[in-house]
Amino acid sequence: MPPKRKDSWKEKVTKGCLPQRYVLGIMGFLAVANAYSMRNTLNLAITQMVEPHYRKNHTLSIDDPEACPGELVTHNHTIYENEQFDWSEKMQGYILSAFYWGYVITHIPGGILAEKFGGKHVLGLGLFSTAVLTLLIPPAARAGPIWLIALRFIQGLGEGTTFPALNALLATWTPPMERGRMGSLVFAGNQIGIVMSSIVCGLLLKYLEGQWAIVFYLFGFLGIVWYVVWCFTCYSDPASHPYITQEEREFLTEKIGALKRKENLPPVPWLKMATSVPLWALIIAQIGHDWGLFTIQTDLPKYMSSVMKFSIAQNGFYSAMPFLVMWVTAIFAGFLSDFLIKNKILSVGTTRKLFNSVASVGPAAGAIAASYAGCDKLLVAGLFTIGMAFMGFFYPSLKVNALDLSPNYAGTLMAFVNGIGAISGIITPTLIGYLITENTMQQWRQVFWVSGSVIVITNGLYIFLGSAKVQPWNDLRKIDEEEVVSWKAKSENDKATA
């Protein structure tokens, strides 16, 4: 009898501790966390990179009766020496929105490539390029705003493949009864990414005054480390994974049996997708969600700095808290969603719509209430935090709804939904740049009213038009077979009648 072969170190790591679908879930979570860390870093750093006009003049051009007491933080110009930039609010809006111009473009190509060749390399290379470009932000900023806008645009191109590739991976690795918790785990990585980048950036910018470039070097390096680990631990599907157990492979084959292999799929049914009412309901709801999320994610640090007059360390901490609490509620909502569906307390469609309603009304009410809370810093921060906590219910609702509609084309659907939804990331920073001319409380209140109205109205449309049923175009061959059977039956019936 031949001696039993010992597992290699790689097999022990990848095979012995966790089922491979959970390994992929954890690495997917870290992928999203890294993506949002690199995306979010500039949102806080720009408050230190730019010397605003109102800060230089120390006076507002209009009287603001609701202005909060306190001094705007000024910096040691000897330390900064050409490291602060004279960018207007409009220019800052262009810089912050440039990322999303590129981000929108690569969603559909990313989804197609992920479905055809597998999500591993589409996701990995996209985030690797984002990490390298993050390292180049400081020299681009010093070269001029046009260079920074161009770099941010290219950076968006790389990161635009993230969610389509992840959805394609989840479709091949996640059984239906685990989609809520796995989707919440993976996609809630954006909160942890925002929390970590906000807190770490706040502390680094406080204690290393004038050295804002360090935050880009740090998070760019972490993105490259993630990519190296990803290459050795994750694979596009169970069939190609060399170290998955036979039991887990058989379990996934049984539970995801309806998912057709990429090479056997017919062409993507673009026309049927484009005319699908449930898909457009999902897209509209995604636009509303992203509008609310990007308003807080991109511009809350500026609000806390210019209106509430938080220090940079306080700004990082209090801007992070809404997303930390949102992450906790997202994990809870994922388990609650699976429980309600598994025990048939609510249908899948009702669960998706109920959870998205909570994720819409809560953040809208929290942000608007915070704008009326005056200058009470703790109350304002608390209201933003409570409001955004409810947005955690978004992840087991809209974020996994594409998997409900079409498991076979999950990557392409995510490209449609997340790509078109990301248009909000283009609109909101630019719109805020135009609305906020003097950084008054009233101007920011208008911003939060617009954001709240958009997210609530789009949710209403989703309630009436959305669905969680698998769409007929999920498998065109089945449609063709049914049409053939129907045609044969009709022919036989006609013959019998004759």
Side-chain angles (χ1 to χ4, degrees):
M1 181 176 179
K4 187 177 180 180
R5 186 180 68 86
K6 292 183 178 180
D7 288 345
S8 68
W9 68 270
K10 190 174 180 181
E11 290 174 305
K12 290 178 181 178
V13 171
T14 57
K15 181 177 177 180
C17 299
L18 283 174
Q20 292 307 306
R21 64 186 183 278
Y22 297 145
V23 173
L24 181 128
I26 293 170
M27 288 301 295
F29 161 81
L30 293 175
V32 178
N34 271 284
Y36 273 78
S37 292
M38 292 183 286
R39 186 190 311 186
N40 185 62
T41 300
L42 183 61
N43 299 337
L44 191 63
I46 201 169
T47 65
Q48 303 300 291
M49 294 166 64
V50 175
E51 180 66 14
H53 296 283
Y54 61 81
R55 184 175 290 160
K56 292 191 296 184
N57 298 331
H58 297 289
T59 59
L60 295 173
S61 60
I62 64 172
D63 182 41
D64 181 13
E66 297 181 88
C68 294
E71 295 295 327
L72 290 165
V73 180
T74 57
H75 307 291
N76 186 328
H77 290 271
T78 303
I79 294 176
Y80 269 72
E81 181 125 22
N82 297 323
E83 290 293 295
Q84 283 189 287
F85 309 105
D86 186 18
W87 298 336
S88 67
E89 290 290 339
K90 290 180 182 179
M91 179 58 71
Q92 292 177 59
Y94 297 143
I95 292 170
L96 293 174
S97 66
F99 174 91
Y100 295 98
W101 285 100
Y103 186 69
V104 168
I105 292 173
T106 51
H107 267 67
I108 290 179
I112 295 172
L113 290 172
E115 285 169 354
K116 186 172 183 179
F117 301 108
K120 174 178 178 175
H121 295 300
V122 175
L123 175 64
L125 292 173
L127 284 184
F128 177 74
S129 65
T130 304
V132 172
L133 291 168
T134 299
L135 298 174
L136 298 177
I137 286 180
R142 294 176 186 125
I146 300 303
W147 287 97
L148 181 55
I149 288 172
L151 184 141
R152 289 274 291 172
F153 171 79
I154 300 171
Q155 192 179 37
L157 291 175
E159 200 169 310
T161 62
T162 301
F163 285 110
L166 275 173
N167 236 38
L169 287 165
L170 290 177
T172 60
W173 280 97
T174 308
M177 73 288 298
E178 294 181 4
R179 285 177 185 166
R181 74 192 76 169
M182 190 69 81
S184 295
L185 168 65
V186 172
F187 297 126
N190 73 17
Q191 283 82 53
I192 295 303
I194 294 171
V195 168
M196 293 304 298
S197 61
S198 296
I199 293 177
V200 172
C201 285
L203 293 174
L204 288 176
L205 293 170
K206 176 184 178 181
Y207 293 107
L208 299 176
E209 186 175 8
Q211 305 300 315
W212 51 261
I214 191 67
V215 299
F216 300 106
Y217 298 145
L218 172 63
F219 287 104
F221 172 74
L222 291 177
I224 292 174
V225 171
W226 172 87
Y227 173 69
V228 173
V229 177
W230 171 260
C231 287
F232 289 100
T233 57
C234 295
Y235 294 82
S236 292
D237 51 53
S240 64
H241 200 301
Y243 308 118
I244 189 173
T245 63
Q246 185 64 27
E247 293 80 5
E248 185 179 9
R249 182 181 283 115
E250 291 175 355
F251 169 77
L252 293 176
T253 301
E254 176 187 353
K255 297 301 180 182
I256 318 178
L259 187 66
K260 310 304 180 202
R261 294 301 92 197
K262 303 174 184 66
E263 59 268 19
N264 296 325
L265 276 176
V268 177
W270 296 110
L271 181 59
K272 292 183 181 295
M273 285 184 180
T275 56
S276 172
V277 173
L279 177 57
W280 277 106
L282 177 58
I283 290 171
I284 291 170
Q286 181 77 38
I287 290 172
H289 166 269
D290 285 357
W291 191 295
L293 178 64
F294 292 149
T295 297
I296 300 300
Q297 177 186 322
T298 305
D299 288 282
L300 183 60
K302 293 172 68 176
Y303 178 79
M304 294 299 203
S305 173
S306 60
V307 177
M308 300 306 299
K309 299 184 175 66
F310 282 111
S311 70
I312 186 61
Q314 290 175 325
N315 196 346
F317 178 79
Y318 286 112
S319 294
M321 283 304 100
F323 297 97
L324 177 60
V325 178
M326 182 179 168
W327 174 70
V328 175
T329 56
I331 299 299
F332 165 75
F335 281 97
L336 178 60
S337 170
D338 288 345
F339 173 80
L340 293 174
I341 294 170
K342 183 178 180 180
N343 291 280
K344 300 182 179 179
I345 298 172
L346 293 175
S347 68
V348 177
T350 301
T351 303
R352 302 289 188 245
K353 293 176 181 180
L354 175 62
F355 278 40
N356 191 61
S357 297
V358 173
S360 300
V361 176
I368 293 171
S371 70
Y372 286 94
C375 298
D376 188 329
K377 292 184 177 182
L378 290 179
L379 179 59
V380 169
L383 288 169
F384 275 120
T385 299
I386 293 171
M388 291 299 289
F390 289 106
M391 195 172 274
F393 283 79
F394 157 79
Y395 290 93
S397 54
L398 292 188
K399 209 64 176 178
V400 295
N401 195 197
L403 291 171
D404 300 324
L405 298 180
S406 178
N408 285 334
Y409 300 103
T412 301
L413 284 197
M414 179 57 80
F416 263 123
V417 176
N418 214 63
I420 298 177
I423 292 174
S424 297
I426 297 171
I427 298 172
T428 53
T430 306
L431 178 63
I432 291 171
Y434 279 91
L435 291 177
I436 305 301
T437 56
E438 304 290 346
N439 273 288
T440 65
M441 186 83 73
Q442 186 163 355
Q443 288 177 345
W444 278 99
R445 190 174 294 145
Q446 293 174 356
V447 168
F448 296 131
W449 267 109
V450 171
S451 174
S453 299
V454 171
I455 192 173
V456 170
I457 291 171
T458 53
N459 175 66
L461 292 172
Y462 178 71
I463 290 174
F464 286 105
L465 302 176
S467 174
K469 295 180 180 179
V470 176
Q471 298 302 291
W473 40 264
N474 176 63
D475 190 350
L476 295 179
R477 290 166 303 180
K478 184 176 179 181
I479 296 175
D480 294 340
E481 290 169 3
E482 289 175 350
E483 288 178 348
V484 169
V485 170
S486 177
W487 179 80
K488 286 182 178 179
K490 185 177 182 301
S491 297
E492 291 175 359
N493 184 59
D494 290 343
K495 289 179 181 178
T497 303

